[in-house]
Amino acid sequence: MDLPPLAMTDTGTAGTGTAGTRDPGALRSAFTEAFRREPEGVWHAPGRINLIGEHTDYNDGFVLPFALPRGVSVAAARRDDGVVEVRSLQTGGSLVTAPVDGGPVVGEGWPDERAWAAYPVGVARVLREHGTGGASLLVDADLPQGAGLSSSAALECATALALCDLHGVAIDRPALARLAQRAENEQVGMPCGLMDQSASLLCTPGHALMLDCRSGLSAQVPFAPAEAGLTLLAVDTRASHALTGGDYGRRRAECEEAAALLGVPALRDVTDLAGALGRLADPVLRRRVQHVVTENHRVEAAVGLLRAGAPAELGAMLNASHLSLRDQFEISWPEADATVDAALRAGARGGRMVGGGFGGSVIVLTGTDRADRVREAILAAYERRGWTEPRFLDAVPSAGAHRVS
């Protein structure tokens, strides 16, 4: 999920996708200035783009994300007093302090200016059960705010790696992803699925991650658009969203209601779509089921295309996914629809909204020779409508979370 309360650095300009995270040495120096002691290390976790498979994760389905070059970095040092203290360079360095031994942050009524800190504090409280303790944390980031690029999971995963390393706790990455998800579910009150944390921790350069969100099993699928003469544009529509509100949770509740009416553990288990739709009287639930079931099939088809060396054919899958998210799941927004339409008119192969919906980003697959034309067409579409100019970010499959220094 995305992290609305924490404003992210965006030193890139439209069309460049230049990252803005400070170098590890500068972040270490900033930590020393903030906490009056040396950090013990710097950890980085990336944001993600989901190539295809939207709102399938909490339905025990399949997703196909990849890690971005941008993300969240955390400089950290151990504390032995059971306290986690955290500052963010994006919030002016104000200090948030909380005990590691505590209940869900969501129940403590934190004010909005401290809301972003619920993510690292929540991770610390969940990992305490596995032997970690307190820490001083300084956060820096270069994911744009509200863009649907999973800044919250990046913050969670960078914090989780830091705490495990600082306290000498070994947890394998799939298990750590589930613990970070649990922190967001229980501590922050966001009912997200497993995809974002898994993508941040497990992705590798030049690959997308085929993830079975029920079993947690995953496989690396080759995905290097540039080698096929393709460019994948990530377009931040600048329509910000906040997923801890009611819309996201409502969609999840609708899926759970439909699964219960159909007598299956999750919508992933629907094998006869026509029969399932015939058993549901509520047209809203019918639309939700249709999206989830067909989206799972699109993920499997996309994996097949990538393994067959045919990434250019993904365009049709992206288009179908966007239409389903717009019409069946009803979570698109005007800027997303206009972005996809303008890109296709300019010769792009396909495009779709990404993330939880109601704002955020769009991906567009185009031949590299048409990329400039597609960007110009999207910019012109926004200008005609009087909208804020979108940002174009790098969408290159990159490394997962790691210790930087």
Side-chain angles (χ1 to χ4, degrees):
M1 297 303 104
D2 203 49
L3 182 55
L6 178 55
M8 300 298 179
T9 303
D10 182 36
T11 59
T13 57
T16 65
T18 304
T21 296
R22 64 178 62 225
D23 66 81
L27 186 55
R28 293 180 69 96
S29 297
F31 181 97
T32 301
E33 181 178 354
F35 293 108
R36 305 302 180 189
R37 60 182 178 133
E38 293 287 331
E40 296 177 50
V42 175
W43 291 260
H44 176 81
R48 62 93 186 97
I49 285 282
N50 188 23
L51 185 58
I52 200 161
E54 220 65 78
H55 286 266
T56 52
D57 57 345
Y58 57 78
N59 287 291
D60 283 358
F62 306 107
V63 293
L64 191 64
F66 62 89
L68 291 168
R70 292 173 176 240
V72 175
S73 296
V74 172
R78 175 173 171 159
R79 290 178 64 110
D80 295 319
D81 58 357
V83 168
V84 59
E85 57 176 354
V86 57
R87 299 179 187 268
S88 165
L89 295 177
Q90 280 69 53
T91 60
S94 59
L95 181 67
V96 177
T97 302
V100 173
D101 187 4
V105 176
V106 70
E108 296 180 2
W110 286 19
D112 288 346
E113 62 269 18
R114 298 179 63 196
W116 68 271
Y119 294 85
V121 171
V123 168
R125 289 182 175 178
V126 168
L127 289 182
R128 175 184 59 84
E129 302 170 10
H130 298 266
T132 68
S136 301
L137 307 168
L138 180 63
V139 177
D140 192 16
D142 65 347
L143 285 170
Q145 179 186 8
L149 303 178
S150 195
S151 52
S152 61
L155 176 55
E156 292 158 8
C157 293
T159 300
L161 284 184
L163 291 172
C164 287
D165 282 357
L166 291 174
H167 292 276
V169 173
I171 301 175
D172 68 64
R173 293 208 170 196
L176 194 60
R178 289 195 179 275
L179 290 171
Q181 177 203 14
R182 181 183 153 201
E184 188 158 345
N185 292 168
E186 298 178 1
Q187 292 287 330
V188 183
M190 174 62 216
C192 66
L194 182 62
M195 175 181 67
D196 294 348
Q197 295 81 6
S198 296
S200 191
L201 285 166
L202 301 176
C203 282
T204 61
H207 293 81
L209 184 77
M210 169 59 161
L211 176 68
D212 180 336
C213 293
R214 170 170 288 167
S215 68
L217 296 176
S218 63
Q220 303 291 338
V221 182
F223 181 50
E227 295 179 6
L230 300 169
T231 295
L232 188 69
L233 301 174
V235 186
D236 175 9
T237 69
R238 306 291 286 272
S240 185
H241 67 168
L243 294 180
T244 51
D247 288 326
Y248 182 93
R250 189 174 304 114
R251 293 302 184 280
R252 181 164 185 166
E254 289 165 348
C255 292
E256 291 171 351
E257 180 183 356
L261 290 171
L262 294 170
V264 294
L267 294 185
R268 177 244 182 88
D269 299 298
V270 173
T271 56
D272 176 7
L273 178 58
L277 297 179
R279 294 167 57 194
L280 294 171
D282 187 335
V284 172
L285 297 186
R286 286 166 56 89
R287 291 195 295 272
R288 305 301 184 253
V289 171
Q290 184 168 342
H291 166 72
V292 173
V293 174
T294 57
E295 187 80 346
N296 274 320
H297 291 316
R298 284 187 285 271
V299 174
E300 294 177 301
V303 169
L305 289 171
L306 292 179
R307 287 176 172 162
E313 305 307 315
L314 287 173
M317 295 294 162
L318 301 182
N319 292 336
S321 178
H322 183 75
L323 291 175
S324 182
L325 289 161
R326 185 192 71 185
D327 300 336
Q328 305 302 327
F329 223 66
E330 300 174 288
I331 59 170
S332 190
W333 62 102
E335 290 87 346
D337 297 336
T339 299
V340 172
D341 181 66
L344 294 178
R345 290 178 183 274
R349 289 184 170 274
R352 75 175 191 90
M353 59 146 289
V354 295
F358 312 105
S361 295
V362 168
I363 55 172
V364 173
L365 182 68
T366 180
T368 300
D369 59 344
R370 292 177 178 263
D372 288 342
R373 185 188 315 173
V374 170
R375 288 189 186 93
E376 291 168 2
I378 294 170
L379 289 169
Y382 278 59
E383 184 176 4
R384 286 195 303 272
R385 292 167 172 82
W387 291 341
T388 301
E389 186 174 286
R391 290 177 287 212
F392 296 89
L393 310 178
D394 294 333
V396 178
S398 302
H402 58 281
R403 183 169 185 160
V404 177
S405 67

